[in-house]
Amino acid sequence: MANPFYLRDVVSIKDFKREELEYLFEQADRFLEMGYEEKSKYGRGKLMALMFFEPSTRTKTSFEAAMLSIGGHVIGFSGARGTSMEKGESLSDTIRVMDRYADVLVIRNPMEGAARYAAELAEHPVINAGSGSEEHPTQALLDLFTIRRLKGGIDGLRVAVVGDLKYGRTVYSLLNALKLYSVEVYLVSPPQLRIREEALYDLKGMKVHLDVELDEALKLADVIYVTRIQRERFPHPEEYEKVKGSYKIDARAMRLVKEDAILLHPLPRVGEIAPEVDGFGQAKYFEQVRLGRYLRETLLALILNENP
Ligand code: NCD
């Protein structure tokens, strides 16, 4: 297969086919084994611009680590503070400026559609690192890569998705990626944070069980994907207070989980997975972080090089 990622925007997971994801994962398997000498030819002389308008630890630093690991360079900013947006410069001008410097742009913005807008404006490829509660496609890519590595494949798995299904962008991107596989999905959330109707509509044709009890899901799932309540997306703080702390995976819950199941979380966690769970063999969220960096190395290398 010719490299389908070359100079391509990564705005929505829905823009990709299963064969394309498989191609990426096979290349990522290679990158996991490769030393710096070999890898560094893919990014040499290339510049990545980060435009992060929302807080981030992992996504931002893993893109940085990834670009440096393939021999490239990184410029950019976190938060509009300190940029000319404080003087009133528009988002579009900011994007156009960064596009004049960089070979690839990575944007995180609280507005839905921001990444698509950037991709339309920029001549260089744009990667969506999170657009409001809409999408986070590279998180879904690394989630699937992690599942595939740790479970030996994706087809046939039972996947429980637990938490904020309404505002969580990682959930929406993950479900749309899983849709390309033959999996059964169990959705677990407080009633107020049920998946949005239009999101459910996109999953038509997929085996999705709605409003599953947490304990039931924990018992049957091969993959348990937990998310944080997206406090910053609530229209009213009181609404957040009503659901805060309404679910938690602790040592008691872990006793229900299958021996060979894996527990994932895009992180940050803010109480929904107790620290005591870290000692359980099924807890794989930090391994997910580690693998994510390789997935992003591979993605950048494929975007920047026609024949990797
Ligand atoms: C997620 C995000 O930003 O959507 N974080 C991440 O990128 N790993 C999840 C979250 O903030 O809850």
Side-chain angles (χ1 to χ4, degrees), residues 111-126:
M111 276 186 305
E112 304 196 355
R116 182 73 68 195
Y117 178 63
E120 276 162 17
L121 278 177
E123 285 182 13
H124 294 99
V126 170

Side-chain angles (χ1 to χ4, degrees), residues 249-261:
I249 311 292
D250 53 13
R252 181 210 66 86
M254 288 308 287
R255 280 192 273 279
L256 302 173
V257 173
K258 293 201 279 191
E259 194 84 23
D260 64 347

Side-chain angles (χ1 to χ4, degrees), residues 54-56 58-59 108 129-130 132 136 139 168-170 227-230 232-233 265-268 296:
E54 271 191 350
S56 171
R58 262 153 306 277
T59 305
R108 169 173 285 193
H136 193 347
Q139 180 70 43
R169 58 191 174 199
T170 67
T227 63
R228 140 187 103 85
I229 299 182
Q230 307 282 302
E232 67 277 28
R233 314 243 181 256
H265 191 307
L267 303 177
R296 290 191 170 116

Side-chain angles (χ1 to χ4, degrees), residues 21-54:
L21 301 195
E22 294 293 321
Y23 176 88
L24 174 68
F25 300 151
E26 277 159 30
Q27 296 293 325
D29 286 337
R30 270 182 56 218
F31 272 73
L32 264 167
E33 306 297 327
M34 235 185 257
Y36 179 72
E37 279 310 309
E38 199 183 337
K39 263 184 213 177
S40 59
K41 62 176 187 256
Y42 295 116
R44 199 171 294 144
K46 306 281 187 190
L47 203 56
M48 173 180 77
L50 296 172
M51 291 182 278
F52 273 62
F53 296 97
E54 271 191 350

Side-chain angles (χ1 to χ4, degrees), residues 18 31 34 67 88 164 176 215 233-234 244 270 283:
R18 175 172 171 147
F31 272 73
M34 235 185 257
M67 191 60 179
D164 186 345
N176 279 282
D215 283 7
R233 314 243 181 256
F234 281 65
K244 188 175 126 189
V270 288

Side-chain angles (χ1 to χ4, degrees), residues 73-93:
H73 301 279
V74 184
I75 55 168
F77 55 83
S78 308
R81 273 199 79 177
T83 74
S84 284
M85 288 184 85
E86 280 202 320
K87 303 183 196 163
E89 186 165 41
S90 65
L91 177 63
S92 62
D93 280 3

